[in-house]
Structure formats: structure tokens, C-alpha cells
Amino acid sequence: MHPAVSVIFFTVMSGAGFGLIALIGLGMPLPGGLAAAFFIPALAGGLAIAGLVSSTFHLGHPERAWRALSQWRSSWLSREGVMAIVTLVLFGLYTLVWMLGGERILWLGLPVALCAVVTVYTTAMIYAQLKTVPQWHTGLTPACYLVFSLTCGLVLAAGLDGFRSAGPGAAGIAFAAILIAWAFKLAWWARAARSSLDAAGSTMETATGLGAIGAVRLLERPHTGENYLTREMVHVIGRKHAVKLRLIALCVGALVPLLIALAVWFLAASALWLIPAFVALMAGLFVERWLFFAEAEHAVSLYYGGRNA
């Protein structure tokens, strides 16, 4: 699949934003005061909205994006849009109560957290539902999206809590969360390696329905030039480059944040150091999400000389 920058930016940024929103709603420790009640929700909402806005740039007609909301009964994309709006409206009310009353009300925060988690789940299901992309069609896809969203929110929230002299205990929790998140991703990568089109039963024979008369091979491409399908659905990345990019994702997005969290934990340093850990985690996730799209094989590629053609 073609790794569109707008979609990569959307899934990473909005995931982090909704993850932070969920943890704010659950009452995770954060600095108090009017300034914190304004700027922290603004940061969380800003990350979520920036991601959502960027996703519209991948559409042929971004001005018509609102029409997708009407298809919520059948479309995960539409459900995502509806849930994002519901979450942000509830979060706005939660923030207003926090600013005016100086307290975070748990009974109001719980539905905010639930809606934020459901929003991330709907985003993941846009891809996990696709049987035509065997690497994505697994419960591990929404699991990875959710765990990375909550981990990003947790690391950022723990770092922000450093402004009120939070103890190193938060770094220990962040360390465990980062470790668990990347363990899920390693499991996803292991499964993806076994989930080729051929392993899923998609071949030129099944695609054309000509298997009964023997093996089918591509004689000539359907088009002499590129079209929408070849641009969006057919993308080949060399195995050697994929391995390098996975190592970069692990080093930047896992090793660096883990080392920072470990140092803060054992040296009893300020939790503010977890903010650079969050930045490194996000950088690694951009690489991971690029690979998520670039390594995926869509069944339509069989018609255009894909690996199994």
C-alpha cells in the first residue's frame, strides 16, 4: 500500500491526542491550576484535531469530508468521524468544568475516556476489517493502535506532571507501558511475516477464477501507465530496507524512550525528562506507521504483477 504522509500523520498524532484525552478523563495525575486546566487539554485536543484535519488532505475533495458522517451504520471511517466529534465535544465540557471548578470530575471523565478509546478503535478498524490486506486483518491491529495511543498519552502526561515535581514512580509506569506497546508490535510484525496474500489463499487463480484450467500468469499489465489503484494499492518495499526501517523504529521509538524512563526511574530525576522520551516515541511511531502501510499487500496487486502474480 502507498504510505500517504497525511494518513501517517493522522494516525500517529490523533492517536497520541486521544490517548492523552483518555488518561485525563481517567484522572491521571497532572499539574493543577487554571493554566494547566487550559493548556493541557488544549495540547491533547490540538494533537487530536491536527491529526483529524490532516486526514482530509488524503481525500480527493476534502470539502466533502462531512458527508462521510452519514454512513455510520456501515462505515468504520464514518464511525470514526462521529466518535471523534462526540469525544471532543464531551472533552470540551469536561475541560470547561475543570477550568471553572478547579477539579476534574471522574463521572464526567469516564465517558470522555471511553469515547476516546472507542475513537482510536474505530480508526484501527478501518484497516483491520480489510480481508483484502491479510497483514492488517487481525485483532492485533486495533490492539496495537490502542496500546500505542494510551502509551503516548501516558508518557506525555507523566512528563507534564513533572511540572509539579512528580516523583520517579511515573517513569517506571512509562517504562512498562513502552515495553508492552512494542511487544504488541513485535507480535504484529511476526504475524504479518506469515500473512502473505498466498498464505491467505489469494492468488492469480482465485482472483481471475481461472484456476480450474491451470496456473495463471500475468501476460501484460492491464494499463500501460499508472492509475489510482497502482498509486494507492500497489507499493513494493525491499525486504532489506524494511528491516533497516524496523530497526530505526525500534531504536528511536523504543530504545531511546526506555533508556530515558529507566534513567529517570533509577536516578530519581525530574519526570520532565519524559517529554523528550515522548518525542522519541512519536518519531519512532512515524517510521512504524510508514511501514504499516508500505509493507501491506492488497489483493488487487495481483492484477498488476504483485509478488504472488
Side-chain angles (χ1 to χ4, degrees):
M1 300 282 285
H2 175 67
V5 174
S6 59
V7 178
I8 294 169
F9 186 86
F10 153 59
T11 57
V12 175
M13 296 294 283
S14 66
F18 284 115
L20 182 56
I21 287 173
L23 290 167
I24 291 173
L26 290 174
M28 184 167 179
L30 288 168
L34 182 60
F38 175 79
F39 285 109
I40 293 177
L43 174 60
L47 287 170
I49 293 171
L52 292 169
V53 171
S54 73
S55 68
T56 63
F57 294 122
H58 190 60
L59 303 176
H61 294 278
E63 72 279 4
R64 301 177 187 172
W66 63 271
R67 295 183 179 178
L69 300 177
S70 65
Q71 306 302 313
W72 59 269
R73 292 181 181 86
S74 59
S75 168
W76 282 105
L77 178 62
S78 182
R79 291 166 187 162
E80 174 201 43
V82 172
M83 286 307 306
I85 292 172
V86 171
T87 302
L88 291 172
V89 169
L90 287 176
F91 186 56
L93 293 174
Y94 176 88
T95 301
L96 185 62
V97 171
W98 183 8
M99 291 177 63
L100 294 177
E103 295 183 4
R104 294 155 62 193
I105 302 174
L106 185 60
W107 64 263
L108 183 57
L110 288 178
V112 170
L114 178 61
C115 287
V117 169
V118 172
T119 301
V120 176
Y121 178 78
T122 57
T123 300
M125 286 304 297
I126 295 173
Y127 311 109
Q129 67 166 330
L130 296 176
K131 295 180 181 179
T132 50
V133 185
Q135 290 91 345
W136 294 351
H137 191 57
T138 169
L140 282 172
T141 296
C144 284
Y145 269 69
L146 286 168
V147 75
F148 273 124
S149 172
L150 293 173
T151 297
C152 287
L154 188 148
V155 174
L156 180 55
L160 293 172
D161 200 31
F163 284 105
R164 68 176 185 94
S165 302
I173 298 173
F175 179 90
I178 296 168
L179 204 60
I180 292 170
W182 283 102
F184 270 89
K185 189 60 193 184
L186 289 173
W188 191 95
W189 277 335
R191 183 200 170 274
R194 306 188 301 269
S195 303
S196 64
L197 289 170
D198 189 53
S202 294
T203 63
M204 283 293 290
E205 288 74 30
T206 61
T208 60
L210 299 174
I213 62 175
V216 178
R217 66 183 178 85
L218 182 69
L219 181 63
E220 187 174 319
R221 288 169 61 91
H223 301 276
T224 56
E226 282 195 349
N227 60 19
Y228 174 81
L229 292 176
T230 57
R231 287 193 301 270
E232 298 296 325
M233 305 298 184
V234 183
H235 183 84
V236 179
I237 176 174
R239 189 176 301 276
K240 180 173 64 175
H241 297 300
V243 171
K244 287 181 180 179
L245 288 171
R246 286 188 183 188
L247 288 174
I248 291 173
L250 286 170
C251 288
V252 177
L255 184 60
V256 172
L258 284 172
L259 289 175
I260 294 175
L262 201 62
V264 173
W265 191 11
F266 278 99
L267 299 177
S270 171
L272 284 171
W273 283 103
L274 291 177
I275 294 179
F278 166 77
V279 174
L281 175 59
M282 292 287 283
L285 281 181
F286 276 107
V287 180
E288 175 272 329
R289 209 54 53 87
W290 190 93
L291 282 168
F292 175 81
F293 292 100
E295 291 187 290
E297 296 176 318
H298 196 289
V300 77
S301 65
L302 296 172
Y303 289 99
Y304 296 91
R307 293 179 186 176
N308 298 320

